[in-house]
Amino acid sequence: MTEKLYDIFPYQTAFEAKVLSVEPQGDRLCVVLDKTLFFPNEGGQSCDKGMLAGHEVLDVNIRDEVVYHSMAAHTDIREGDVVKGEIDWAHRFSNMQLHSAEHLFSGLVSKRYGYTNSGFHLSDNIATMDFDGPLTAAQIAETELAVNEAIYANVSSTAFFPSAKEAETLPYRSKKEIQGRIRLVAFEGYDLCACCAPHVGRTGEIGMFKVQAFQSYKGGVRISYLAGKRAWMAYQEQFDLLARLYKGFSANAENLEGFVQKLRDDLDAANSKVLRLQERLLEEQLRHSDENILFLEDVDTMVARKLATSHSKETGRDLFLFIQNDKGYRYIISTAVHDAKAHQKILQETLRAKGGGSEGLVMGTVDATMEEIHHVCTILSQTNQP
């Protein structure tokens, strides 16, 4: 068993340890020490970062109470060496802030609504917690405020290992049944939970807590959140974005929302006008053209579909429309007397087209040249029965 220094010394950043084994593992070395400060991937949280004997630790995992440090294959570490290790404190403290905030939120949800934290994920890219029951937006907002009030209260936390007899009497939270020794983390007045990770000594060190989003998940709810420096950095990004918007629109906090709504209304009106103009232009083009194979640009698909259907009904002609896009063409084939799906089948067989539809109208995409498409459609349009 590896002695887990992070259990007892969450604020310590440097240590010395003896190398017990060094084993090749693919293009890496797997190093086992007699003790370590490196927290492994465990309990939904990603591992610590840092250096060992002057070399970067690439990954840290734990199996059967043994912690394995993954290093580059060229690392000059040997069994029996006494090596110095140093963890990345900024990364460790950020994870402590986020994980401690999760305990506060989960403890409050458990007390207020009786739900269990059924999942937790913390990495450099994501921080989420799952609960086995639904929460409304108002309930989440109220709990978020309570977490921040707990931060302001600056209450202490304690990590300890109760005896088996003591553990039987303590009302602690746990996501799973735990075999063997139990490590509990207590936030005075807020939570008591089984946990293997380092935590802040006082809640004030979390700094701030913010729910970013939430969604229904497996009959309950998944909440995405940030805390500490990562929350502040996200706030700063949003603040900078708003500052750019204020400047770009010559607006301020009081009128920006109304300004953006007016832009949306104006854009909707302009788009409607463009669609009407497209419809009129395509109507004229169909009315004055003898061609039934047309290649178009910048035409809305629904406008083209509507006019293709009406044109085929009025004229009895098959109509082949191809609207250019970045990946080739989007096609619409309309017919009043033949089978559009039969036309589509030929396109699929000859030009690898994709799509679907009915006997009267089919739509899809085709990645081919104008010449290839025109050649196939000319044959189809000249055939009375496709």
Side-chain angles (χ1 to χ4, degrees), residues 44 85 139 189 214 242 249-250 269 320:
Q139 289 171 332
F214 61 94
L242 283 172
F249 292 143
S250 297
F320 302 81

Side-chain angles (χ1 to χ4, degrees), residues 143-362:
T143 310
E144 176 186 66
L145 176 59
V147 170
N148 281 290
E149 288 174 340
I151 293 171
Y152 310 150
N154 197 29
V155 300
S156 63
S157 75
T158 308
F160 63 100
F161 294 90
S163 67
K165 187 175 182 180
E166 288 175 321
E168 291 177 359
T169 66
L170 294 172
Y172 64 89
R173 296 186 301 109
S174 180
K175 297 184 186 70
K176 60 182 181 181
E177 197 72 29
I178 300 174
Q179 302 296 326
R181 193 170 68 153
I182 297 173
R183 180 176 184 265
L184 297 181
V185 177
F187 285 90
E188 185 182 351
Y190 288 92
D191 188 45
L192 179 63
C193 183
C195 186
C196 56
H199 285 270
V200 298
R202 302 192 72 89
T203 56
E205 297 173 65
I206 298 171
M208 61 187 298
F209 172 82
K210 188 72 185 78
V211 171
Q212 291 188 299
F214 61 94
Q215 64 187 80
S216 297
Y217 182 75
K218 293 184 177 180
V221 62
R222 167 166 287 181
I223 295 176
S224 300
Y225 74 98
L226 287 176
K229 186 176 180 180
R230 280 170 63 173
W232 177 84
M233 291 174 65
Y235 167 78
Q236 188 62 48
E237 289 176 2
Q238 295 297 315
F239 185 87
D240 291 343
L241 173 60
L242 283 172
R244 293 194 297 272
L245 290 174
Y246 294 150
K247 183 177 180 180
F249 292 143
S250 297
N252 55 43
E254 286 71 32
N255 62 19
L256 179 62
E257 185 176 4
F259 193 94
V260 172
Q261 185 59 53
K262 184 178 184 304
L263 287 177
R264 292 183 62 180
D265 293 341
D266 291 346
L267 181 61
D268 289 343
N271 285 336
S272 297
K273 185 175 182 179
V274 167
L275 292 178
R276 290 195 299 271
L277 289 173
Q278 286 183 1
E279 186 172 351
R280 288 172 57 185
L281 288 171
L282 187 53
E283 281 179 336
E284 289 297 312
Q285 188 172 357
L286 291 173
R287 184 178 295 113
H288 298 290
S289 176
D290 294 329
E291 291 286 333
N292 67 332
I293 306 169
L294 298 177
F295 291 85
L296 310 171
E297 293 182 6
D298 300 326
V299 176
D300 181 77
T301 301
M302 292 300 102
V303 169
R305 172 179 176 169
K306 172 186 174 182
L307 292 180
T309 301
S310 61
H311 183 78
S312 292
K313 287 181 179 179
E314 292 173 6
T315 63
R317 300 174 65 196
D318 295 350
L319 184 63
F320 302 81
L321 299 181
F322 294 88
I323 305 168
Q324 192 170 17
N325 59 34
D326 294 337
K327 298 181 180 179
Y329 293 89
R330 182 162 185 80
Y331 66 82
I332 300 171
I333 302 175
S334 177
T335 177
V337 294
H338 298 140
D339 185 355
K341 296 182 72 173
H343 287 323
Q344 186 178 56
K345 183 178 180 182
I346 300 299
L347 283 182
Q348 292 171 337
E349 293 172 351
T350 58
L351 300 177
R352 301 176 301 281
K354 299 177 181 179
S358 62
E359 291 185 1
L361 184 138
V362 295

